[in-house]
Amino acid sequence: MNWDWIFFDADETLFTFDSFGGLQRMFLDYSITFTAEDFQDYQAVNKPLWVDYQNGAISALQLQHQRFDLWAERLKVSPGALNDAFLNAMAEICAPLPGAVSLLDALKGKAKLGIITNGFTALQQIRLERTGLRDYFDALVISEQVGVPKPNPRIFDYALELAGNPDRSRVLMVGDTAESDILGGINAGLSTVWLNAHGRVQPEGIQPTWTVTSLNELEQLLCKH
């Protein structure tokens, strides 16, 4: 094994993230049938907010509240209350992605494993406990706690410090979002694996060391190197 440490993104890298299902579940508590059309409207607001957050233009709290502003107004509740309900619903429906457990089993004991996530503290910790994946990881780094998200090099510096400052040439970053996971890893001087399960076009100027389309393919790649 060429790696002393392997860091993973969480959402859509190790876990599935069915936010439509989560929203449907939480809105039932408000007696609302949340439709596919509602979800499109929500994503039209939510996706640009994540880009702003990644780029350091807004805070985690601003993202969490602004994505629910319109619904909060409609329902006469606070956006914070809606966000809490959403995170609770999402914690209920988390599941590891196909191949995640097999991959982690294959790596455990061969390299130290960590998570660097832009997801939110409350959700990520519950998720790792509920899916039984917590014990695989020696480090859990959450952007909300560090104060900056990926691709900011500071979150990678923080993670590497936590890892005891390993030689960066022996550290690998794995993630599904080229603009945060891969760009961040490259800027931090790490090798990177882009998990491109959905056939996205590689963004210009971001060159991962390797690209895989599934966690099974990643396991084969890592276990033969």
Side-chain angles (χ1 to χ4, degrees):
M1 178 67 71
N2 291 346
W3 311 107
D4 295 334
W5 274 87
I6 301 173
F7 284 100
F8 292 89
D9 169 50
D11 299 334
E12 297 306 340
T13 297
L14 294 172
F15 301 115
T16 59
F17 197 84
D18 175 17
S19 46
F20 183 36
L23 288 159
Q24 284 181 308
R25 179 178 286 219
M26 73 166 256
F27 276 116
L28 279 179
D29 292 340
Y30 293 93
S31 308
I32 282 174
T33 306
F34 190 80
T35 65
E37 207 173 324
D38 289 328
F39 184 57
Q40 276 181 320
D41 293 344
Y42 168 82
Q43 286 293 55
V45 173
N46 182 49
K47 280 188 165 160
L49 289 173
W50 277 97
V51 173
D52 286 345
Y53 176 51
Q54 223 166 268
N55 293 338
I58 60 172
S59 70
L61 196 63
Q62 285 171 307
L63 187 163
Q64 291 178 21
H65 287 191
Q66 285 175 24
R67 62 185 175 180
F68 289 119
D69 275 348
L70 293 169
W71 281 102
E73 227 169 278
R74 270 176 65 177
L75 297 169
K76 304 284 179 277
V77 291
S78 75
L82 287 177
N83 187 67
D84 289 346
F86 176 57
L87 293 182
N88 287 335
M90 289 308 298
E92 293 289 320
I93 57 177
C94 58
L97 274 169
V101 174
S102 165
L103 170 69
L104 294 171
D105 278 334
L107 297 176
K108 188 75 181 149
K110 296 198 176 75
K112 294 227 167 181
L113 305 178
I115 283 179
I116 306 177
T117 174
N118 282 357
F120 300 125
T121 310
L123 186 52
Q124 299 300 353
Q125 285 168 337
I126 294 169
R127 241 179 200 190
L128 281 169
E129 298 297 337
R130 291 224 171 131
T131 49
L133 299 184
R134 181 70 190 94
D135 295 344
Y136 288 98
F137 295 100
D138 302 285
L140 172 58
V141 176
I142 302 173
S143 63
E144 206 180 357
Q145 291 175 327
V146 181
V148 292
K150 299 173 290 190
N152 191 309
R154 270 175 45 211
I155 192 170
F156 290 90
D157 293 343
Y158 177 92
L160 291 159
E161 213 167 288
L162 200 64
N165 294 310
D167 176 347
R168 292 190 184 209
S169 70
R170 297 187 56 81
V171 179
L172 184 65
M173 176 68 201
V174 178
D176 70 302
T177 308
E179 297 82 353
S180 60
D181 305 319
I182 305 308
L183 182 60
I186 291 168
N187 290 345
L190 312 181
S191 294
T192 55
V193 177
W194 185 31
L195 174 63
N196 183 12
H198 306 293
R200 274 193 64 198
V201 174
Q202 189 175 306
E204 212 167 312
I206 303 178
Q207 186 60 57
T209 320
W210 295 280
T211 299
V212 296
T213 58
S214 69
L215 292 176
N216 295 332
E217 198 183 327
L218 177 61
E219 186 179 332
Q220 288 168 348
L221 174 78
L222 291 175
C223 294
K224 67 164 195 267
H225 274 280

